[in-house]
Amino acid sequence: MRSTELFKEAMELFPMGVNSPVRYYSPEPVMFQQMYGSKAIDVNGREYIDYSMGFGPMILGHANKLVSNYVKSQLDKGILFGSISENEIKLGKTIKDAVKSIEKLRFTNSGTEATMHAIRLARGFTGKKYIVKMEGGYHGAHDYALIKSGSGTMTFGVPSSAGVPDEVSKTVLIGQYNNMESIEKLFKEFGNNIAGIITEPVLGNIGVVNPEENFLKGLREITEKYSSLLIFDEVITGFRFGFKGYQNIIGIKPDITTMGKIIGGGAPVGMFGGRSDIMDHISPAGNVYEAGTFSGNPLTMSAGIATLEQLKGMDYSKIDNYAATLEKELGAIISEYNIDATINRCHSMFQIFFNKNKVIDYSTAIASDAKKFTKMFHMLLDKGIFFPPSQFETEFVSFAHSKEDLENTVNAFSSVLKCL
Ligand SMILES: Cc1ncc(COP(=O)(O)O)c(C=O)c1O
């Protein structure tokens, strides 16, 4: 088969044939040739309903017409200017207007860069050393964040990466998500030297885990008490649940916010922003260094502008309702076949955990039967449904998913869960 031939070539080139670890699964990952709307087509010509949506960014669906047109027209004007351009201002303004805690911002090329710079900024601004992150929270693949991380690190069982110097790991303190006591304990011991807390407001890299009442408020209060900064990593949640951040839904104002994914409309992007007095510490005005050859490039910005322009007028309840119906239907199938599984959903993102208990944090997520998930993933693939290939990722619904997709997904699930 063409996919097998191509994957052999990929294996010669890239470690395990891929350029990002979660894309690998045995015996070989699906090799796609094209995507449109809610659909993905592999090199053998098979079509799938996609629930990975590029791991989140493609909220409008693949190959969205306006996004393509904006990018095409930018192509003829130049891809990289190496100077400030109007597109950056346009996208920056749109984000600032939508997310009130962001007074100033910088674009980067990935969520990884955004959180790395946000953490450095928090340290530079406060003059303090420690950063608190949540067990199972994922903030990208840099040394400050690859400690007790989620996503691929959990899938492959290496929650803390080799190669991160001990000296760096020791500056990162691990708290338990949804457990304010664990955070208070850290502040009691290290409080005067904690630069900030970084957390995804809704965990999306150990599957989906919602915040329990008052947890995020507790983080806001304790950071204020100790003059530390609160960083919300909204790389997944930014513009996912409405034309705003998750912070606007819950009414909590972080000091720094990071975003990525959706704001680039599928092009490589990241952003960190927040209070002006903090952001002014960034070079060249300030002494916290941050830079990027491709940051804010006009091509990425045009994809982001076209995406946010459309999202502004969208009724997000459409994708929320799709996910809610799927949750209800799948829940009924799970009950009918008496399967030990539970579904977590936040608006248009969801995950099925093969776990008879509720999943509320890292330790309850890791107790899930990841092997069973992998089995389900492959069976769904056979039926033309493409999920992200790990128990510890998240399914995303887009505006391109249709009623027919929903029916086909439920039917596929019904026969897969029956066999499981
Ligand atoms: C919450 C969160 N932060 C940061 C990142 C890193 O973003 P990127 O993969 O663009 O570097 C991710 C990626 O999935 C993420 O989910």
Side-chain angles (χ1 to χ4, degrees):
M1 283 228 281
R2 178 150 169 71
S3 53
T4 304
E5 280 165 30
L6 281 170
F7 192 62
K8 259 192 208 143
E9 276 189 60
M11 283 290 275
E12 301 283 313
L13 288 166
F14 315 118
M16 292 310 274
V18 290
N19 284 298
S20 195
V22 182
R23 295 179 200 169
Y24 174 79
Y25 41 89
S26 81
E28 65 183 41
V30 186
M31 178 109 28
F32 291 114
Q33 58 163 320
Q34 195 191 340
M35 299 202 173
Y36 68 95
S38 60
K39 305 297 188 310
I41 302 168
D42 72 15
V43 291
N44 306 319
R46 269 201 81 192
E47 191 174 272
Y48 306 79
I49 302 170
D50 183 14
Y51 285 98
S52 173
M53 301 313 284
F55 288 97
M58 310 313 296
I59 191 167
L60 292 172
H62 297 288
N64 175 270
K65 272 274 169 300
L66 194 75
V67 175
S68 301
N69 287 343
Y70 271 42
V71 170
K72 276 181 207 156
S73 84
Q74 186 57 49
L75 276 175
D76 292 334
K77 296 179 199 155
I79 301 174
L80 187 61
F81 294 171
S83 188
I84 182 75
S85 68
E86 211 172 325
N87 281 357
E88 291 159 74
I89 297 168
K90 209 166 171 183
L91 186 59
K93 244 173 130 174
T94 307
I95 293 169
K96 178 179 156 153
D97 286 348
V99 185
K100 296 295 172 222
S101 72
I102 299 176
E103 294 167 3
K104 276 192 185 164
L105 60 117
R106 270 269 167 95
F107 285 114
T108 62
N109 306 291
S110 65
T112 294
E113 281 177 57
T115 63
M116 179 179 73
H117 293 307
I119 288 172
R120 186 183 300 130
L121 176 59
R123 287 177 166 145
F125 177 77
T126 59
K128 300 176 184 181
K129 178 166 87 172
Y130 294 109
I131 287 289
V132 174
K133 79 173 278 294
M134 304 303 146
E135 191 172 26
Y138 181 68
H139 306 290
H142 57 80
D143 285 8
Y144 302 157
L146 270 180
I147 297 136
K148 300 266 181 183
S149 221
S151 189
T153 61
M154 266 168 89
T155 309
F156 302 108
V158 281
S160 298
S161 173
V164 177
D166 261 5
E167 289 81 355
V168 175
S169 303
K170 282 183 188 149
T171 63
V172 180
L173 309 170
I174 304 300
Q176 315 300 320
Y177 186 76
N178 278 336
N179 179 345
M180 206 49 217
E181 248 173 58
S182 76
I183 309 294
E184 279 159 7
K185 222 166 132 193
L186 292 175
F187 272 82
K188 231 179 211 159
E189 192 169 348
F190 302 96
N192 293 328
N193 216 352
I194 292 177
I197 297 178
I198 185 165
T199 187
E200 300 166 75
V202 178
L203 295 188
N205 286 283
I206 55 170
V208 180
V209 178
N210 280 291
E212 289 185 347
E213 212 184 334
N214 290 332
F215 176 65
L216 297 173
K217 195 165 156 246
L219 298 185
R220 179 63 287 180
E221 283 167 4
I222 204 162
T223 42
E224 271 170 3
K225 183 171 163 197
Y226 284 88
S227 301
S228 304
L229 302 184
L230 179 62
I231 308 170
F232 273 176
D233 180 356
E234 296 226 40
V235 165
I236 288 180
T237 56
F239 295 94
R240 161 66 38 198
F241 311 131
F243 199 75
K244 49 190 155 194
Y246 186 74
Q247 58 191 266
N248 305 100
I249 295 173
I250 52 168
I252 294 175
K253 216 171 164 185
D255 302 295
I256 303 176
T257 299
T258 57
M259 286 192 184
K261 300 203 188 241
I262 288 174
I263 61 164
V269 79
M271 183 283 315
F272 65 106
R275 274 169 36 203
S276 289
D277 61 319
I278 299 172
M279 290 303 290
D280 285 340
H281 278 65
I282 291 287
S283 57
N287 59 3
V288 177
Y289 198 69
E290 184 276 336
T293 298
F294 301 106
S295 298
N297 73 80
L299 204 62
T300 293
M301 297 294 104
S302 65
I305 292 165
T307 298
L308 294 195
E309 261 181 21
Q310 292 176 83
L311 281 179
K312 195 165 189 178
M314 293 289 200
D315 177 6
Y316 274 76
S317 68
K318 177 178 181 245
I319 52 175
D320 292 3
N321 290 340
Y322 184 114
T325 309
L326 206 48
E327 179 188 25
K328 193 169 134 232
E329 299 280 346
L330 301 190
I333 300 167
I334 286 167
S335 298
E336 186 185 344
Y337 298 122
N338 226 351
I339 294 168
D340 284 342
T342 183
I343 301 173
N344 278 8
R345 178 175 73 85
C346 186
H347 297 258
S348 59
M349 34 194 281
F350 66 95
Q351 182 58 298
I352 302 159
F353 294 94
F354 286 99
N355 193 326
K356 61 174 182 288
N357 299 313
K358 267 181 81 177
V359 173
I360 55 158
D361 57 11
Y362 175 85
S363 58
T364 46
I366 199 89
S368 307
D369 188 342
K371 281 198 182 122
K372 200 170 248 181
F373 184 93
T374 302
K375 206 168 163 189
M376 178 190 75
F377 164 77
H378 283 288
M379 289 166 86
L380 284 173
L381 213 52
D382 279 346
K383 300 209 168 296
I385 310 286
F386 182 65
F387 262 30
S390 164
Q391 173 71 94
F392 307 112
E393 293 291 337
T394 292
E395 283 73 60
F396 295 100
V397 176
S398 79
F399 284 99
H401 283 90
S402 66
K403 214 170 150 209
E404 194 189 351
D405 290 335
L406 183 62
E407 280 164 19
N408 290 338
T409 307
V410 172
N411 288 339
F413 257 100
S414 187
S415 55
V416 164
L417 289 182
K418 193 173 176 183
C419 295
L420 276 179

